[in-house]
Amino acid sequence: MPKFLIERHIPGAGKFTPADLKAISQKSCGVLSSMGPDIQWVHSYVTDDRIYCVYQSTDEALVRRHAELGGFPVDRVDRVYSVIDPATAE
């Protein structure tokens, strides 16, 4: 299944409490469970004012639909074609 990187601009995201992050995660998981197996949340990175999410999905439209249903902002969606790391250099 293709992988996508979603950029969400959320001012103050880096100051969210564990309870805030739990609530956001629960909302996301609730929406995902209603959407079926064609979309999966892998993980997210929280920075000062953005959250970068990695999803697997059959297409970008489902990623955007998840955001719409959950009320999550979407500033950018990019398909991931490769992952490289230090082992790639060997």
Side-chain angles (χ1 to χ4, degrees), residues 3-81:
K3 207 174 264 186
F4 293 90
L5 180 65
I6 301 99
E7 179 181 352
R8 306 180 193 283
H9 182 248
I10 303 174
K15 295 180 182 172
F16 286 174
T17 67
D20 295 332
L21 295 172
K22 181 177 182 177
I24 292 167
S25 298
Q26 287 174 333
K27 185 171 190 177
S28 179
C29 288
V31 172
L32 286 168
S33 69
S34 72
M35 294 181 72
D38 290 338
I39 182 169
Q40 300 167 0
W41 176 26
V42 178
H43 59 262
S44 297
Y45 299 96
V46 180
T47 66
D48 286 336
D49 293 318
R50 298 190 189 284
I51 298 180
Y52 298 91
C53 304
V54 178
Y55 277 69
Q56 291 181 320
S57 179
T58 53
D59 61 42
E60 181 179 331
L62 278 178
V63 171
R64 292 187 178 278
R65 181 72 177 144
H66 168 264
E68 180 184 321
L69 292 172
F72 305 118
V74 174
D75 295 287
R76 186 175 175 146
V77 177
D78 289 307
R79 181 163 177 188
V80 176
Y81 292 98

